[in-house]
Amino acid sequence: MSSKVSTRYLAETEYPSWNDLVAESPDGSIYSTPEYLDVLASQTGGQFKILVAERADELVGGIAIFERKDSWGCYVTGRLLLYYNGFVVKAHPSKYPSERTAKRLETLTALEQHVASNGYGRVQIKSRSTLQDVRVFAEQGWNTRLSYSYVVPLHDLATHWTSRMEQNLRRLVTRCDREGLQFSEADDFESFYRLHHQTHVRKGSAIYLPEQGFRTYFERLRSQNLCRLFHACTPEGRVISTQLVLLGRHPVCHTVSAAADSEFLRSGATAFLRWKTFEQLSKMGFTGNDLTDAQLNSVTHFKSQLGGDLELSIVLERPDRGGFRVQNLVYRTGSLVKQGGRKILARLPRKAGDSK
């Protein structure tokens, strides 16, 4: 008979064992490491703890829980700079698929029961694409929705260049090389943040962190060799495209932020930077680069041209509790009222002279 799976929270002294599991599991990522979450929590006001599942005193899975609080209560969701916050399960060595599946389900069942009993007002968990069997959660009333990201394989870039990367991007990279554009790996946070701010103002999207908080976030991660800044620079040294990549021990790294100078959007600098970064990351030993998110927009179309694999992740959501349920009801009611108002206005006859 198999040993029973139990759950508990790790003490800080036990974090190295958890990091070993995260690095070895297909489900792992830097987002599940205490080193990363400690930095993120210090700049966002959250807190984290590591819940693990054990069988016969062996770590077989777990989840790094990043908690936040507001007036409605305590909740667990992803956020900017925390793209994945999901389950990590150790691969079982059995040669039989049925046994591997059974052990994985046992582990997920124990973790689900613990998370569900914590009393969070809202829980939204997004694991990496490797977690596809979510029957345990569906049976317990969790809702599911889909999320996508592109992951570029880095193990054979020579073949990738000729057979997967779109011809127009290859042309842009080659042109930038010919025109003297430079690839730089430098801790130039000022240039990075300048373009980050400019890009998000241009697109009307949220700034990830205030400048000083983002600087501290970067410097603390960089001091632990957990991130790198990469830049494309003009021959004169001006940074015109930039990206921040999260590293860690897992073979898949993550491009968490990218930005470009509006004056050089048609120069090909972004394609040049992406490709040169792939080459550098491959040299560093990484086998994949997750480009982070693939909603249907122009940026995602560009990511698709880089030749990555479109990967599907399942977002698990427990039904809201308490104040969060009221909050969601108010939000949905407000949305329905707005939609109804627009429909009524659309049906009203227009007066002569009204603009169309």
Side-chain angles (χ1 to χ4, degrees):
M1 295 179 64
S2 62
S3 300
K4 182 180 178 181
V5 176
S6 60
T7 57
R8 66 181 179 92
Y9 293 107
L10 289 182
E12 189 172 341
T13 55
E14 299 174 289
Y15 286 170
S17 297
W18 169 251
N19 282 341
D20 289 342
L21 174 60
V22 170
E24 295 168 4
S25 171
D27 311 317
S29 75
I30 186 175
Y31 297 111
S32 291
T33 63
E35 292 80 6
Y36 180 79
L37 293 175
D38 181 58
V39 172
L40 183 63
S42 71
Q43 301 307 312
T44 62
Q47 61 183 17
F48 75 94
K49 49 191 176 183
I50 309 296
L51 173 67
V52 297
E54 294 177 313
R55 183 186 293 112
D57 296 325
E58 177 190 9
L59 289 183
V60 293
I63 180 172
I65 301 176
F66 190 81
E67 298 177 341
R68 290 183 284 167
K69 293 181 180 179
D70 63 13
S71 58
W72 299 101
C74 189
Y75 63 101
V76 176
T77 67
R79 54 150 294 136
L80 294 172
L81 302 176
L82 186 61
Y83 188 64
Y84 299 111
N85 67 334
F87 296 97
V88 179
V89 180
K90 183 175 183 178
H92 193 272
S94 174
K95 66 179 182 180
Y96 299 113
S98 60
E99 188 170 353
R100 293 196 301 268
T101 298
K103 296 299 184 185
R104 190 172 178 88
L105 291 178
E106 286 178 2
T107 300
L108 291 172
T109 296
L111 292 169
E112 187 280 332
Q113 290 175 351
H114 196 129
V115 172
S117 68
N118 276 348
Y120 295 119
R122 174 171 293 163
V123 181
Q124 297 174 350
I125 295 174
K126 177 163 66 174
S127 300
R128 293 192 59 229
S129 63
T130 46
L131 181 65
Q132 293 291 301
D133 188 346
V134 296
R135 290 173 291 175
V136 165
F137 302 91
E139 286 187 356
Q140 297 303 317
W142 293 60
N143 300 313
T144 61
R145 58 183 173 87
L146 305 181
S147 178
Y148 298 87
S149 186
Y150 276 102
V151 178
V152 175
L154 303 175
H155 58 275
D156 185 3
L157 288 181
T159 301
H160 190 100
W161 172 264
T162 57
S163 64
R164 301 192 62 163
M165 187 155 164
E166 195 162 301
Q167 181 180 2
N168 184 53
L169 295 195
R170 300 202 307 268
R171 178 185 62 81
L172 292 173
V173 173
T174 302
R175 188 183 73 184
C176 287
D177 260 327
R178 187 173 60 249
E179 294 178 352
L181 208 65
Q182 300 297 309
F183 172 71
S184 170
E185 179 185 340
D187 298 339
D188 184 358
F189 180 82
E190 288 76 13
S191 293
F192 164 78
Y193 195 83
R194 171 178 59 84
L195 297 186
H196 172 74
H197 185 271
Q198 180 193 109
T199 298
H200 285 265
V201 169
R202 184 173 71 244
K203 294 182 177 181
S205 55
I207 297 293
Y208 286 6
L209 287 172
E211 182 173 3
Q212 186 53 52
F214 212 157
R215 181 189 296 276
T216 302
Y217 164 91
F218 165 71
E219 290 176 348
R220 287 190 59 189
L221 291 176
R222 183 67 181 90
S223 69
Q224 300 176 76
N225 196 32
L226 295 178
C227 74
R228 287 286 195 282
L229 278 176
F230 300 103
H231 316 282
C233 310
T234 65
E236 297 74 31
R238 177 181 175 182
V239 174
I240 59 175
S241 187
T242 184
Q243 61 182 30
L244 176 63
V245 180
L246 301 178
L247 306 178
R249 291 171 53 196
H250 196 274
V252 176
C253 57
H254 301 259
T255 298
V256 71
S257 179
D261 194 314
S262 58
E263 295 182 31
F264 295 87
L265 293 179
R266 297 182 179 276
S267 68
T270 298
F272 171 86
L273 175 60
R274 294 280 189 168
W275 180 253
K276 295 299 182 182
T277 299
F278 294 155
E279 292 181 327
Q280 183 63 19
L281 293 172
S282 180
K283 291 177 183 177
M284 294 167 67
F286 292 97
T287 61
N289 178 216
D290 192 322
L291 302 183
T292 306
D293 198 43
Q295 297 184 41
L296 292 176
N297 54 37
S298 59
V299 174
T300 294
H301 177 66
F302 169 74
K303 291 178 181 179
S304 71
Q305 293 176 304
L306 294 167
D309 297 316
L310 183 64
E311 297 195 350
L312 179 153
S313 297
I314 300 175
V315 183
L316 298 165
E317 300 177 322
R318 274 187 59 82
D320 288 348
R321 296 175 175 176
F324 286 93
R325 182 179 298 176
V326 175
Q327 179 194 49
N328 189 46
L329 178 61
V330 170
Y331 175 79
R332 292 178 61 186
T333 301
S335 297
L336 290 173
V337 169
K338 288 181 181 179
Q339 292 175 13
R342 285 194 293 266
K343 290 180 180 178
I344 292 172
L345 289 174
R347 293 172 182 172
L348 291 176
R350 295 182 182 273
K351 295 181 181 179
D354 283 351
S355 59
K356 295 182 178 180

